[in-house]
């Protein structure tokens, strides 16, 4: 009887891929990219007035490299909205951002997203854009998602077409163990 626990421990030590504990669904950004509030500029007046919401909260950042929001972009924004609703009591700890690479004169967002009182629309600074582009293994695609911690570190990335339930699972784990935000 006393050999069984040692045998199991030896088996898992020899085959670590069999353990799935602590595994995340997104790709961890190592080392994390640091950012500051000044790296973000409000796209509209609402976002400019509420830019302070980025510090001290977990932030889901939808990357929008183009000047128009196509079907993939709309789907990604909808998914982050659903993720925040799925968090239940932790909804106040998470913010959502649609991050544009440049501010255009014509509206990027349709009327539904313009009226969304929980979606912050931000323009990334050129320095932060360069950092983000350097860490992405693939070319920047519409609908990609980044996760920023309460200290301003971009720490996880998800490819375009990500599964909202897997992102929610990762965020729930982080919120459960996080002492900040």
């Amino acid at each position: 009887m006393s050999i069984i626990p040692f045998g199991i421990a030896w088996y898992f030590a020899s085959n670590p891929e069999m353990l799935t504990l602590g595994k995340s669904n997104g790709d961890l950004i190592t080392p994390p990219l640091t950012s500051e509030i000044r790296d973000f500029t409000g796209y509209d007046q609402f976002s400019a007035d509420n830019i302070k919401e980025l510090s001290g909260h977990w932030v889901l950042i939808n990357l929008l490299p183009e000047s128009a929001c196509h079907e993939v972009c709309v789907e990604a924004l909808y998914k982050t909205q659903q993720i925040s609703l799925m968090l239940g009591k932790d909804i106040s700890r998470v913010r959502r951002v649609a991050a544009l690479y440049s501010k255009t004169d014509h509206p990027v967002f349709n009327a539904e997203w313009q009226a969304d009182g929980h979606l912050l629309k931000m323009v990334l600074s050129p320095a932060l854009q360069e950092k983000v582009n350097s860490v992405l293994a693939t070319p920047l695609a519409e609908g990609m998602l980044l996760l920023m911690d309460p200290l301003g570190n971009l720490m996880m990335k998800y490819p375009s077409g990500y599964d909202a339930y897997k992102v929610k699972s990762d965020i729930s784990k982080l919120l459960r163990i996080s002492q900040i935000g």
Side-chain angles (χ1 to χ4, degrees), residues 38 42 46 54 68 80 84 94 104 117 119 128 139 143 148-149 153 159 176 179:
R38 68 174 183 241
F46 170 77
L54 297 180
T80 57
S84 68
V94 176
T104 58
L119 179 66
L128 187 57
M148 185 169 76
D149 70 11
N153 299 313
R176 190 171 45 249
Q179 298 296 318

Side-chain angles (χ1 to χ4, degrees), residues 6 8 21 33 38 59 77 87 110 149 153:
F6 292 108
I8 292 171
L21 298 174
L33 298 177
R38 68 174 183 241
V59 182
L77 290 170
L87 291 173
N110 61 24
D149 70 11
N153 299 313

Side-chain angles (χ1 to χ4, degrees), residues 2 6-7 10 16 26 38 42 63 66 99-100 102 138 153-154 161 170-171 177 181:
S2 63
F6 292 108
W10 176 79
R38 68 174 183 241
L63 295 176
E66 298 179 18
L100 296 143
S102 64
T138 60
N153 299 313
L154 298 171
D170 285 348
I171 293 173
I177 62 173

Side-chain angles (χ1 to χ4, degrees), residues 64-71 73 100 104 106-109 142:
L64 310 176
E66 298 179 18
S67 60
C69 190
H70 302 293
E71 185 177 330
C73 161
L100 296 143
T104 58
H106 61 288
V108 175
F109 304 97
E142 187 177 36

